[in-house]
Amino acid sequence: MSATPATSTPASGARHAAAERVVRVARREGIEDLALKVVAGERLSREDGARLYRADLHAVGELANYARERLHGDRAYFNVNQHVNYTNICNKLCRFCAFQRLPNQAGAYWMTPEQVEAKIRAQLASPVTEVHMVAGIHPKLDYQYYLDILKAAKRARPSIHVKAFTMVELDQIAKKAKKPLEEVLPELVAAGLGSCPGGGAEVFADRVHQESYHLKISGDEWLATARKVHQAGLKSNCTMLHGHIETIEERVDHLDRLRLLQDETRGFQTYIPLSFHPENTEMADIPGPSALDELRELAVGRLMLDNIPHIKAYWILMDVPVAQAALAYGADDVDGTVVEEKIYHEAGATTPQEVAREELVRWIRDAGRVPIERDTLYQVVWSDDPSEATLGAAAPLSG
Ligand code: V47
């Protein structure tokens, strides 16, 4: 690398110094070639990805932080949201899930549209901008039900953005509608759907699909469904469920397949690595990932997914201090206030089920970042930094 950039401003000087530092640290840990690629904005290969999983964590973290700051500076995003899990009845029997119930099992429930509406009305005093609606695959719910719960959400709070239905739910909804998803999506949008969450992707590899979630759509089907969602003009998130039976190569394959679809559609907003929570699941003998594994997964995600704008450290999954540290390991988003998280708490999560907006702001500030409240599509809702007032949509990807 040259010692000084050709036209030097304080900002370009600082970027250059940061680049020199990450290359130096990477050299010490045997990944200088990867650091030079990242600094030059070159794409990392699958082989590079596998090396990131085996290299020194803190060198990988520094590199991911470099990529994160190049995109987002000191900004860290959060939102004021509310979860509604409209049913826990599910016929997919995923071995990693503690949330699912069979129809006659103790604790099984489904919400009527009126109950969904009441849940959302109950939060009217709080400045919620998003409802996150995901659930099990209840085989008896008909197509009209899904339209009705969207309408119920909008009736309760017309301004709310409804982020609902994973690719797995969308597959079920189209089957119930007896129509192609391409015809169903505009009807869901007309009823109130705003975008889709990233769940249900698990690990795309066929081996993992067969061994831990074989009744659910495959990796190929998840990607094909996401393609249709993006082609319908909707944004979605994407995830990977890590820390169970998958290998490093299967994780890299998963990330690469997300990246290839994103090259095609540009529809993914945010990648969220979901750390496996074993309690009360059929895979309870597996310990699940450590905090260090979680940091690495976020960092590798930032470095491999060079075309996905945001990386989320979902605070519910990890202790708050880990989510704070994650903001220096590639993550730029911590999710939101949540209100009544169920999926991870059934599986042993010990974090609170919700958090006040002011607490999120404090956590982010304590981590040395600038908190930005965003809406679901990353429009700025609030910031205490006056320069953010004109930020608008998500910062563009560079490199
Ligand atoms: O689809 C289920 C996973 C997902 C377990 O898009 C588990 O903003 C770990 O998708 N251990 C649902 N993971 C959660 C989800 C999500 C969460 C937060 C934000 C967004 C977003 C999406 O959770 C499921 C499945 O992949 N899951 N059980 C478990 N025991």
Side-chain angles (χ1 to χ4, degrees):
M1 298 186 62
S2 67
T4 352
T7 46
S8 185
T9 63
S12 71
R15 257 200 316 277
H16 190 75
E20 284 197 328
R21 200 185 61 244
V22 292
V23 171
R24 201 168 50 243
V25 172
R27 185 178 308 135
R28 221 172 42 221
E29 301 299 336
I31 52 168
E32 181 182 8
D33 55 329
L34 306 192
L36 288 170
K37 277 191 182 179
V38 170
V39 167
E42 274 175 44
R43 177 160 285 191
L44 297 177
S45 67
R46 281 176 171 238
E47 292 69 31
D48 296 336
R51 283 174 62 201
L52 290 173
Y53 277 110
R54 296 181 169 107
D56 176 78
L57 168 64
H58 305 296
V60 174
E62 280 235 26
L63 200 50
N65 190 49
Y66 173 84
R68 175 243 192 267
E69 290 187 350
R70 185 168 56 192
L71 284 170
H72 303 293
D74 268 340
R75 295 184 288 273
Y77 297 94
F78 71 96
N79 72 350
V80 180
N81 65 349
Q82 171 182 7
H83 283 206
V84 175
N85 302 120
Y86 54 88
T87 182
N88 62 356
I89 296 174
C90 190
N91 62 7
K92 298 300 172 197
L93 308 178
C94 300
R95 296 187 62 232
F96 56 77
C97 181
F99 174 67
Q100 62 185 322
R101 296 288 185 281
L102 293 170
N104 297 322
Q105 203 176 336
Y109 73 85
W110 66 279
M111 294 179 190
T112 62
E114 292 69 32
Q115 287 170 323
V116 169
E117 184 173 345
K119 278 257 171 224
I120 293 169
R121 282 192 192 283
Q123 294 298 320
L124 283 178
S126 159
V128 173
T129 59
E130 168 191 287
V131 59
H132 165 106
M133 237 167 23
V134 302
I137 304 299
H138 183 335
K140 296 258 166 69
L141 298 175
D142 61 14
Y143 179 43
Q144 191 58 43
Y145 172 83
Y146 295 99
L147 296 169
D148 288 347
I149 57 173
L150 291 171
K151 288 181 193 156
K154 293 300 265 190
R155 204 162 46 238
R157 191 163 201 159
S159 64
I160 210 161
H161 179 108
V162 185
K163 181 182 76 178
F165 310 141
T166 65
M167 302 306 125
V168 185
E169 289 161 280
L170 288 175
D171 178 72
Q172 169 75 1
I173 294 169
K175 282 185 180 129
K176 284 291 181 179
K178 299 193 174 63
K179 289 195 260 197
L181 188 60
E182 290 86 337
E183 283 178 35
V184 166
L185 285 168
E187 293 176 357
L188 294 175
V189 170
L193 181 68
S195 65
C196 297
E202 322 318 355
V203 174
F204 293 144
D206 288 337
R207 182 191 73 86
V208 181
H209 179 236
Q210 278 312 308
E211 285 186 32
S212 57
Y213 65 104
H214 73 282
L215 295 178
K216 203 144 94 177
I217 57 173
S218 67
D220 283 342
E221 289 166 326
W222 191 96
L223 288 162
T225 307
R227 178 180 290 109
K228 288 179 192 164
V229 166
H230 298 166
Q231 284 168 347
L234 288 162
K235 295 285 184 194
S236 79
N237 292 337
C238 56
T239 58
M240 174 170 71
L241 173 61
H242 68 96
H244 45 102
I245 60 165
E246 81 289 359
T247 64
I248 284 178
E249 279 66 28
E250 286 164 342
R251 283 186 223 168
V252 173
D253 168 72
H254 186 100
L255 295 175
D256 191 42
R257 287 162 82 179
L258 287 175
R259 186 168 70 172
L260 288 173
L261 181 59
Q262 179 73 345
D263 280 342
E264 206 185 305
T265 66
R266 300 276 154 186
F268 292 127
Q269 296 201 107
T270 306
Y271 166 68
I272 312 143
L274 299 172
S275 28
F276 174 51
H277 279 52
E279 232 174 83
N280 305 320
T281 77
E282 280 184 33
M283 298 163 99
D285 54 317
I286 297 174
S290 68
L292 298 182
D293 296 332
E294 288 175 320
L295 291 176
R296 184 185 296 275
E297 211 53 67
L298 288 155
V300 175
R302 177 64 285 158
L303 291 166
M304 289 298 285
L305 300 174
D306 53 10
N307 53 5
I308 297 187
H310 300 280
I311 305 291
K312 188 186 281 185
Y314 181 31
W315 68 267
I316 287 273
L317 294 179
M318 42 192 102
D319 284 345
V320 171
V322 181
Q324 288 178 306
L327 295 176
Y329 277 74
D332 62 277
D333 193 307
V334 294
D335 201 79
T337 47
V338 176
V339 187
E340 216 188 348
E341 201 289 326
K342 290 177 188 288
I343 296 176
Y344 290 92
H345 286 82
E346 297 265 356
T350 53
T351 46
Q353 278 186 288
E354 65 179 302
V355 67
R357 184 187 171 285
E358 291 62 37
E359 278 288 279
L360 276 176
V361 168
R362 191 174 60 77
W363 294 346
I364 293 172
R365 282 201 189 119
D366 285 353
R369 297 300 191 185
V370 176
I372 310 282
E373 184 186 338
R374 60 162 178 89
D375 67 11
T376 310
L377 302 175
Y378 285 86
Q379 300 286 327
V380 176
V381 174
W382 168 89
S383 164
D384 57 356
D385 176 350
S387 69
E388 295 299 336
T390 53
L391 180 68
L397 286 171
S398 64

